[in-house]
């Protein structure tokens, strides 16, 4: 009987763990992509890397990435970001996806609360 109880508790913990920050980050990035991709970009087969934190992206790098994003080929040039604030640490993830059977990859930088995309770059 104890064995089954441990199995049930273990399964519950696995289920609970899968609905955490990774899922929040993926939903945030997908929403950003939908809102900011150029018209006619039909995205399919989206795959994310595990989220990770980085301290190597400082405010000047964020400004540079945002400037480069204005020339991004798959995104609109008028992307609106939330107001600037000093960033000590960011969450990063890479996303791989397909548009008309051609594979693309982008890197996204998110705030630590996973509430907004701070910057991104096309790879």
């Amino acid at each position: 009987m104890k064995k089954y109880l441990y199995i049930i508790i273990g399964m519950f913990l696995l289920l609970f763990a899968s609905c955490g920050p990774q899922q929040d980050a993926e939903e945030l990035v997908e929403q950003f992509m939908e809102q900011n991709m150029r018209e006619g970009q039909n995205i399919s087969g989206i795959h994310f890397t595990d989220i990770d934190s980085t301290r190597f992206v400082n405010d000047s790098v964020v400004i540079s990435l945002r400037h480069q994003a204005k020339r991004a080929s798959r995104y609109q040039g008028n992307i609106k970001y939330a107001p600037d604030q000093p960033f000590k640490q960011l969450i990063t993830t890479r996303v791989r996806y397909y548009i008309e059977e051609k594979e693309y990859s982008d890197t996204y930088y998110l705030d630590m609360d996973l509430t907004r995309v701070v910057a991104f770059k096309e790879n």
Side-chain angles (χ1 to χ4, degrees):
M1 182 70 175
K2 261 187 170 179
K3 182 179 178 181
Y4 293 115
L5 180 62
Y6 289 130
I7 291 173
I8 291 171
I9 289 171
M11 291 174 63
F12 177 75
L13 289 174
L14 284 174
L15 178 65
F16 181 72
S18 68
C19 300
Q22 180 71 36
Q23 183 67 29
D24 293 342
E26 290 178 11
E27 289 175 5
L28 182 62
V29 169
E30 285 183 11
Q31 182 182 27
F32 182 87
M33 291 172 75
E34 287 176 12
Q35 292 173 349
N36 294 294
M37 283 274 184
R38 293 188 188 276
E39 296 260 346
Q41 304 283 354
N42 296 322
I43 303 168
S44 63
I46 299 175
H47 299 282
F48 291 88
T49 62
D50 290 339
I51 60 173
D52 197 4
S53 61
T54 181
R55 294 180 189 264
F56 298 114
V57 179
N58 58 30
D59 296 339
S60 62
V61 173
V62 168
I63 291 168
S64 176
L65 288 170
R66 288 178 177 182
H67 183 69
Q68 289 174 7
K70 291 179 182 178
R71 297 185 308 264
S73 62
R74 297 179 298 276
Y75 291 85
Q76 301 173 24
N78 59 347
I79 296 172
K80 301 220 185 307
Y81 299 97
D84 290 336
Q85 64 185 32
F87 302 108
K88 294 181 180 171
Q89 188 172 8
L90 296 173
I91 299 293
T92 183
T93 187
R94 290 186 73 182
V95 60
R96 187 183 48 164
Y97 56 95
Y98 295 88
I99 299 175
E100 297 178 12
E101 300 181 17
K102 185 173 180 184
E103 184 177 0
Y104 296 97
S105 175
D106 301 332
T107 302
Y108 286 87
Y109 300 94
L110 316 169
D111 66 348
M112 289 301 293
D113 297 327
L114 297 175
T115 58
R116 65 190 177 112
V117 173
V118 173
F120 75 96
K121 66 178 180 176
E122 291 181 321
N123 298 323

